Amino acid sequence: MAINPENIRNFCIIAHIDHGKSTLADRMLEITGTINKINTENQVLDDMDLEKEKGITIKSHPIQMIYKSADKKEYIFNLIDTPGHVDFNYEVSRSMAACEAAILLVDATQGIEAQTVSNTYLAIDSDLEIIPIINKIDMKNSNIDSAALQINELLGTDVNDILKISAKTGKGVNLIFNSIIANVPPPLITNSKEFKALIFDSYFDQYRGVVVYIRVFSGYVEKNMMAKFFKNSNISEILEIGRLQLKREPLKRLSSGDVGYMIINIKDVSS
């Protein structure tokens, strides 16, 4: 499916642990039809057993959603998660480097936490468009006005422009898509044929070897091309490329502006 690069949106979510980041991701996946609400477990992007056991999210895997707007235009939404814990500052900065925007998600019952402030400053330094959202407005002990004032103090945003949602019930989540389309710029598409990409995450697949998550900034990459790494000048064959949905979906090509994965013929993530 070919979608105009002008209709690509790459964004991350900034949120403290237990502020509803994974629940919001679940609702967005349901609205876009990426997952079926029936017989679907909660926090579907959580990969680690610890995350599923404790009901917290350390870091979700990236995922692509296809959204059809009211005017029938189709958009690619690439959600690239950021860890909410204080110990993952480097990982946060890598994820942000692959995005044009960040959703700032604040729990209406707890307000802005210190780590959220720190990550917000990282987003500002990365020149990301920030979309402020107050979550858990359905909770009895929510204090929406207080959370809005805290966001106003942090960003200078008009409190009336802050989205108020309940990720649990789905109330207001639809508004987020419209805000992303209206306020987030598409990725800058260059005419350069030289392939340049950022590796913002990786993991080891015991059957396929190293899988890297990439954001392409220029040129394109295809299966069976050779990849050269600047760190040590190693050259390895690209065995597979594709987009990230609930499972890896192979594609013929990833081009400038795209987010996806590469499986490279190496067996050590430190390479």
Side-chain angles (χ1 to χ4, degrees):
M1 176 185 56
I3 289 182
N4 189 331
E6 289 290 318
N7 292 351
I8 297 175
R9 300 291 187 271
N10 299 322
F11 65 98
C12 61
I13 299 178
I14 299 170
H16 195 72
I17 290 175
D18 201 33
H19 277 212
K21 178 171 57 175
S22 290
T23 306
L24 174 59
D26 287 353
R27 297 295 83 74
M28 296 180 77
L29 294 174
E30 289 171 4
I31 290 172
T32 56
T34 309
I35 61 172
N36 188 336
K37 185 175 181 179
I38 302 174
N39 298 325
T40 299
E41 62 180 2
N42 291 329
Q43 298 184 318
V44 296
L45 300 185
D46 291 355
D47 287 328
M48 302 179 187
D49 292 337
L50 173 65
E51 293 176 321
K52 294 181 182 295
E53 177 186 347
K54 300 297 184 181
I56 62 171
T57 301
I58 298 171
K59 186 177 183 182
S60 302
H61 68 74
I63 193 162
Q64 182 179 110
M65 298 170 275
I66 307 297
Y67 177 74
K68 183 174 289 188
S69 62
D71 58 1
K72 306 302 181 183
K73 290 183 180 179
E74 288 192 334
Y75 290 83
I76 288 177
F77 282 16
N78 289 310
L79 170 56
I80 302 169
D81 192 29
T82 62
H85 195 276
V86 66
D87 295 332
F88 292 94
N89 186 270
Y90 175 72
E91 287 80 359
V92 171
S93 65
R94 297 285 289 184
S95 295
M96 288 183 178
C99 301
E100 280 74 41
I103 290 175
L104 172 60
L105 190 67
V106 177
D107 187 330
T109 68
Q110 299 182 50
I112 293 180
E113 304 282 355
Q115 185 57 31
T116 306
V117 174
S118 175
N119 287 347
T120 300
Y121 285 145
L122 280 177
I124 293 171
D125 290 342
S126 300
D127 199 27
L128 300 186
E129 183 70 33
I130 300 177
I131 299 175
I133 298 174
I134 297 174
N135 188 28
K136 301 187 182 181
I137 61 172
D138 58 309
M139 301 291 287
K140 291 183 179 179
N141 60 333
S142 66
N143 191 334
I144 299 171
D145 291 339
S146 175
L149 287 174
Q150 290 177 40
I151 293 174
N152 172 261
E153 291 176 1
L154 178 62
L155 298 177
T157 304
D158 190 315
V159 294
N160 295 318
D161 294 333
I162 301 170
L163 300 180
K164 288 88 173 177
I165 71 164
S166 168
K168 181 178 180 180
T169 66
K171 182 178 180 180
V173 175
N174 263 312
L175 300 175
I176 298 175
F177 293 96
N178 297 330
S179 182
I180 291 173
I181 291 170
N183 298 305
V184 177
L188 179 64
I189 306 299
T190 70
N191 294 323
S192 173
K193 295 183 179 179
E194 182 182 8
F195 174 64
K196 292 183 180 179
L198 168 71
I199 298 176
F200 60 86
D201 204 355
S202 65
Y203 73 97
F204 184 78
D205 185 306
Q206 61 178 331
Y207 301 108
R208 303 298 302 276
V210 174
V211 180
V212 297
Y213 295 154
I214 64 170
R215 156 69 191 276
V216 182
F217 286 96
S218 69
Y220 65 89
V221 61
E222 294 181 343
K223 179 180 178 180
N224 300 133
M225 293 177 72
M226 305 303 291
K228 181 177 181 179
F229 294 86
F230 290 116
K231 178 182 177 181
N232 49 27
S233 297
N234 286 350
I235 298 177
S236 302
E237 182 183 5
I238 298 171
L239 303 178
E240 182 179 303
I241 62 161
R243 62 182 176 184
L244 296 154
Q245 295 199 323
L246 289 183
K247 297 181 179 179
R248 298 192 298 259
E249 183 175 315
L251 295 174
K252 180 181 179 181
R253 171 182 291 192
L254 290 175
S255 302
S256 179
D258 287 336
V259 173
Y261 71 89
M262 290 196 305
I263 299 178
I264 309 172
N265 191 22
I266 53 178
K267 301 298 182 182
D268 184 354
V269 292
S270 65
S271 298

